[in-house]
Amino acid sequence: DAKTTQPTSMDCAEGRAANLPCNHSTISGNEYVYWYRQIHSQGPQYIIHGLKNNETNEMASLIITEDRKSSTLILPHATLRDTAVYYCIVRVGAGGSYIPTFGRGTSLIVHP
Amino acid sequence: GAVVSQHPSWVICKSGTSVKIECRSLDFQATTMFWYRQFPKQSLMLMATSNEGSKATYEQGVEKDKFLINHASLTLSTLTVTSAHPEDSSFYICSARADGLAAEQFFGPGTRLTVL
């Protein structure tokens, strides 16, 4: 799996958009970008994933650059409950075998 | 999404005893289950991968005789920490994957192990 680089920490005001970047410059053509988050003392929670196109669901939006070397997770209206560590993972998608490894992620703190 | 449960959610044990942690996929059959360990302020570290009906594959540095993994059915995997010591105190998280769900990985809520 391609390695990813994320900022160690970020903060955001409640109600504002949180934009979390991820660099994955060595991503391969068949590798997807996945985002998970982990609230303190809980298991990771899937947020969103994408291959080339931008994706949106009820939790977040994922913007992937045209060269696919970086992406941004957007939480459009952050709340205090969005305070968590966010992990960007690049891996082969459906049908492929992979070793799911996590980097250090970005610790997002949403403040009032 | 699919639900993965873990039991117990937390456990305190004496040094030298063994502890079993269960991981269940509640609404899907998990061909593959993963066990992770997470120390305070650190990321998840993959310990082992288990496929139903076969032996687990352990990551480098993880003692297979200390961390016994059994994946006897498509909905249950267990991790037994044998002869636990204080340095085994950690947050243990399992995840499960079914081939029919686009290789998506669903995580359990974790088990906090404290060894006194």
Side-chain angles (χ1 to χ4, degrees), chain A residues 4-10 12 18-22 34-39 44-48 59-60 73-75 77-89 102-110, chain B residues 43-44:
Chain A
T4 61
T5 305
Q6 297 177 252
T8 303
S9 64
M10 296 181 66
C12 172
N19 299 292
L20 292 89
C22 179
Y34 277 77
W35 282 84
Y36 293 85
R37 73 179 182 184
Q38 186 180 25
I39 295 170
Q45 175 190 22
Y46 164 82
I47 300 173
I48 198 168
M59 289 183 69
L73 178 75
I74 301 173
L75 308 178
H77 305 288
T79 70
L80 299 179
R81 289 179 295 180
D82 292 322
T83 293
V85 178
Y86 287 77
Y87 296 99
C88 167
I89 296 171
F102 287 77
R104 298 191 66 95
T106 296
S107 175
L108 174 68
I109 296 175
V110 181
Chain B
S43 186
L44 286 78

Side-chain angles (χ1 to χ4, degrees), chain A residues 10-32:
Chain A
M10 296 181 66
D11 70 281
C12 172
E14 188 178 20
R16 305 296 286 269
N19 299 292
L20 292 89
C22 179
N23 285 322
H24 31 80
S25 58
T26 58
I27 191 171
S28 300
N30 64 344
E31 289 182 313
Y32 288 68

